[in-house]
Amino acid sequence: MKRIIKTHSPIELQDWITENREYDHSYEVLVGSDAHRALKAKLLSEQGFLCAYTGRLISLESSHIEHIKPQNCCEDWEDVNYMNVVACIPANGGDKKLGYGAPLKDNWWDADNFISPLSEGCDHHFVFSWKGYINEFPDDNQATITTIKVLGLDNEDLRKLRLGRIRGFFGFGSRSKSKPLAKREAEQLVRKIDVADSDGKLKEFCFVLKQLLPKYIAGNNR
């Protein structure tokens, strides 16, 4: 999980809220509006086009607007609060076929036992192995254990996706088309692995790669 640093909500959303104060079910009214489209574009941009929970690369077409605090728990316009929404895979937020991510979380909510991608240091709560496995840090941290379970971050398909990115990035495995990553290049990448490219996109699972780079440089790549 990579920390998301919020800036300011889109002016379109601010205007929409001002104009629609009389509605009780605000988010349902927001969906499909210009403000909704502007909000989604802003979320994708500030997240570097990575799913807030899984780190998978996403787009306008492959993502949905996810409420960190579920809509059924929201009060006083929290369901359209810019600080309560992120962009996540899949496009249909209720489709659980992937077996991980936002749909799995559904309407579950426990603020004390959930690591939010908006919280400072959220990326330090998860430890990744060279094989793509995820574990909590420190050991037995209940909030991290719960978050992994609720989001299915230890799902085997998701683990394999992380493993594939790790192998491709570092040049591991017989199927890799590139040579193993040079140590000098690895040292440079530590400083810029989580910087977006010219299209504003981060590298998929960049937070996993960033965590493994120092180990690779130190010669601990297994």
Side-chain angles (χ1 to χ4, degrees):
M1 187 177 291
K2 186 181 188 304
R3 186 190 177 194
I4 298 168
I5 299 176
K6 292 281 190 177
T7 52
H8 54 80
S9 63
I11 187 67
E12 294 91 342
L13 177 62
Q14 297 173 34
D15 290 343
W16 184 91
I17 291 174
T18 300
E19 295 168 2
N20 291 273
R21 283 291 180 185
E22 72 273 19
Y23 291 105
D24 292 328
H25 303 290
S26 44
Y27 185 77
E28 283 75 9
V29 180
L30 175 67
V31 173
S33 67
D34 289 341
H36 185 263
R37 287 185 284 273
L39 173 60
K40 191 173 183 181
K42 176 65 184 292
L43 297 176
L44 286 167
S45 177
E46 70 185 3
Q47 293 173 207
F49 292 83
L50 294 187
C51 172
Y53 293 154
T54 68
R56 286 193 59 184
L57 198 61
I58 54 177
S59 65
L60 282 168
E61 296 73 26
S62 65
S63 62
H64 72 279
I65 293 179
E66 161 74 1
H67 292 78
I68 295 177
K69 181 178 181 180
Q71 285 177 259
N72 67 322
C73 299
C74 287
E75 299 177 357
D76 300 326
W77 287 71
E78 285 181 316
D79 59 345
V80 290
N81 186 333
Y82 167 68
M83 297 303 295
N84 187 42
V85 291
V86 290
C88 288
I89 201 170
N92 181 344
D95 187 352
K96 299 184 179 183
K97 286 186 295 187
L98 285 177
Y100 57 81
L104 205 64
K105 175 174 169 284
D106 196 21
N107 290 323
W108 177 91
W109 181 240
D110 181 348
D112 294 329
N113 279 302
F114 184 68
I115 306 298
S116 166
L118 304 185
S119 61
E120 185 175 359
C122 63
D123 49 331
H124 299 307
H125 285 273
F126 307 96
V127 177
F128 298 93
S129 76
W130 287 105
K131 293 187 180 296
Y133 289 103
I134 184 172
N135 289 290
E136 75 279 2
F137 181 83
D139 291 346
D140 300 324
N141 182 289
Q142 190 56 53
T144 310
I145 292 172
T146 301
T147 302
I148 291 173
K149 179 180 180 180
V150 166
L151 295 177
L153 299 181
D154 56 353
N155 175 274
E156 181 65 7
D157 290 334
L158 184 58
R159 181 194 73 82
K160 288 179 178 178
L161 287 174
R162 289 193 294 255
L163 176 60
R165 295 298 176 269
I166 292 169
R167 285 178 171 173
F169 179 78
F170 289 99
F172 293 158
S174 58
R175 296 183 180 180
S176 176
K177 296 180 180 179
S178 60
K179 295 180 180 179
L181 184 67
K183 182 177 179 180
R184 179 175 296 181
E185 186 179 359
E187 291 170 341
Q188 296 173 342
L189 284 169
V190 168
R191 298 187 294 272
K192 59 182 183 180
I193 187 64
D194 54 0
V195 175
D197 63 17
S198 58
D199 294 322
K201 296 180 179 180
L202 290 166
K203 190 176 290 293
E204 192 169 41
F205 303 123
C206 63
F207 51 92
V208 177
L209 304 176
K210 184 174 184 177
Q211 191 177 108
L212 294 174
L213 272 166
K215 297 180 181 180
Y216 184 81
I217 294 168
N220 178 14
N221 58 2
R222 290 294 184 272

